[in-house]
Amino acid sequence: MPCFLLRVTLLPVTLKDIAQKVGYSITTVSRALAGYDDVAESTRQLVTKTAAEMGYHPNATARRLQKQRSDTIGFIISTFGPRFSDPYFSETLAGIGNAAAEQDYDVLVSTRSPGTPEEMQAYERFVQGRRVDGMLVVRTRKHDTRIVYLLEQQFPFVACGRSRVEGDFCYLDTDGTAGICEATHHLINLGHRRIAIILPPENMMFAHYRWLGFEEAMAGAGLPIDEMLVEYGDLTEHSGYEVGRTFLTRDDPPSAIVACNDLMALGVISAAQGLGLTVGRDVAVTGFDDVTLAAHSHPPLTTVRQPIYEIGRRICDMLIHLLRGETLEERHVILEPQLVVRESCGAKVQ
């Protein structure tokens, strides 16, 4: 005997249903649920209790149209290709998403290749179409057209990072100068003298600050910087592998390599191992970020920790404060990073 699946779809509870149940007009029910002062407290309590018992959920779209806002935050991830594999973005997005959800905001996420016309078109669609109430801008650039555009439009945003763009805007950043300086000092204290560095793309603002940290540490120790041991990567594991291999196959290779993010550092470790070198003994490697992978690499990676998840939460909270017209105690926040020493640096150089 054949079996049939009967699917019953329950119609959503409406204001009219609640009004019929409590014996008040739809207008009174609507105003009671919205918390208007002209509705008696006893009436408001009755309506609210009845709505909850009936399983009423307000129409989010209608409420947003009425308020003329979307209750949505925009986050366009600047990454090459249709997918993003950088755990930095994953951890940042987790922090943003959780903070937004706790305050009844949604997050609209898109990915675009950095510095392309398509990236700016995405910003224009988000802003001009009023698809979001505010934007979060991550991995800022020295001359950041995204920030220029948002300032010109007077559109609310918070940046994760500083920029040379003229104009005041809210940002949170990590002191990359102090972080790289401390990591480089650690290598120098271990006895390393030929130290290479792999910087982020030159147009990124944090490339500037992390370079300053490297310069400061080397100058403070009276060590020269070999221009042949300074290269730029694109923050991917592949670029760390390629640059690391180039460094390590030189006639006079460095004994230590400072990579300005963890993915590039992991690429260096892979390159070194592919050449038959033991990381921590034949070459020391450091990173920056302390993504989850860093503690579980082989060997575990010495790195500069910044609280990526908490940064995501905090920039989201800052933006929501702005959207609600609240005053921020700090509009410009600089966090101090922490050096986490693991096995990729090894012991002192003899």
Side-chain angles (χ1 to χ4, degrees):
M1 182 176 180
C3 296
F4 297 93
L5 175 63
L6 178 62
R7 178 169 293 169
V8 179
T9 302
L10 298 177
L11 295 174
V13 177
T14 65
L15 293 176
K16 182 178 179 181
D17 297 329
I18 301 171
Q20 290 176 342
K21 182 77 172 179
V22 298
Y24 289 108
S25 69
I26 294 175
T27 300
T28 299
V29 168
S30 175
R31 296 182 72 80
L33 291 173
Y36 282 92
D37 295 336
D38 59 355
V39 178
E41 179 61 21
S42 58
T43 301
R44 188 190 65 78
Q45 290 183 7
L46 173 62
V47 170
T48 302
K49 181 174 181 291
T50 303
E53 291 173 348
M54 296 178 69
Y56 171 73
H57 297 284
N59 186 310
T61 302
R63 291 178 66 189
R64 288 168 177 175
L65 288 171
Q66 185 179 31
K67 293 185 294 184
Q68 293 188 323
R69 65 173 190 255
S70 66
D71 290 339
T72 303
I73 290 167
F75 180 36
I76 298 174
I77 299 174
S78 299
T79 182
F80 293 102
R83 296 174 295 176
F84 64 94
S85 57
D86 190 335
Y88 172 86
F89 285 125
S90 302
E91 293 184 34
T92 303
L93 182 56
I96 292 168
N98 288 340
E102 289 170 9
Q103 302 191 61
D104 294 325
Y105 274 79
D106 295 323
V107 181
L108 182 59
V109 181
S110 183
T111 59
R112 291 293 186 275
S113 296
T116 61
E118 291 75 20
E119 182 185 47
M120 286 310 304
Q121 289 166 9
Y123 272 84
E124 290 168 4
R125 281 196 297 272
F126 275 33
V127 173
Q128 300 298 336
R130 294 293 164 179
R131 301 175 68 183
V132 298
D133 298 326
M135 295 290 301
L136 294 171
V137 181
V138 176
R139 280 188 172 163
T140 53
R141 301 157 198 165
K142 293 177 182 177
H143 306 287
D144 203 315
T145 55
R146 300 170 299 173
I147 292 176
V148 171
Y149 173 73
L150 293 170
L151 286 171
E152 288 176 346
Q153 296 296 314
Q154 298 183 333
F155 197 76
F157 73 97
V158 173
C160 183
R162 289 162 281 180
S163 177
R164 290 175 178 166
V165 171
E166 291 186 10
D168 181 48
F169 59 90
C170 296
Y171 63 75
L172 181 148
D173 202 357
T174 299
D175 191 342
T177 300
I180 291 295
C181 186
E182 186 176 4
T184 308
H185 269 306
H186 177 70
L187 294 172
I188 293 169
N189 290 338
L190 289 175
H192 295 281
R193 295 297 177 264
R194 282 187 59 73
I195 304 174
I197 185 169
I198 308 178
L199 293 161
E202 193 171 5
N203 69 323
M204 290 191 169
M205 194 67 215
F206 71 98
H208 167 72
Y209 291 114
R210 294 183 191 184
W211 169 248
L212 290 180
F214 185 72
E215 275 191 321
E216 180 180 326
M218 296 292 280
L223 296 175
I225 296 175
D226 185 342
E227 292 184 2
M228 299 300 292
L229 298 182
V230 178
E231 289 288 348
Y232 290 89
D234 65 5
L235 300 173
T236 65
E237 194 168 351
H238 176 73
S239 71
Y241 178 90
E242 294 294 331
V243 176
R245 185 176 176 84
T246 298
F247 285 156
L248 295 171
T249 53
R250 287 173 53 91
D251 292 335
D252 50 349
S255 64
I257 300 175
V258 175
C260 284
N261 80 324
D262 286 347
L263 280 189
M264 292 195 297
L266 294 175
V268 172
I269 289 175
S270 180
Q273 292 170 341
L275 293 168
L277 301 175
T278 298
V279 176
R281 184 189 68 190
D282 301 320
V283 61
V285 180
T286 68
F288 199 113
D289 286 336
D290 197 27
V291 298
T292 304
L293 292 172
H296 304 288
S297 62
H298 300 285
L301 177 66
T302 293
T303 187
V304 179
R305 175 183 294 160
Q306 58 174 335
I308 305 172
Y309 173 82
E310 291 302 324
I311 287 171
R313 289 188 61 91
R314 192 158 175 183
I315 59 174
C316 184
D317 285 337
M318 290 172 71
L319 179 57
I320 291 174
H321 276 291
L322 290 179
L323 296 177
R324 291 176 174 169
E326 299 166 353
T327 301
L328 287 174
E329 292 183 7
E330 292 182 273
R331 289 176 54 85
H332 307 141
V333 180
I334 306 293
L335 302 179
E336 289 299 319
Q338 175 189 1
L339 180 66
V340 180
V341 178
R342 300 192 181 104
E343 296 171 23
S344 68
C345 283
K348 281 183 174 289
V349 177
Q350 299 300 320

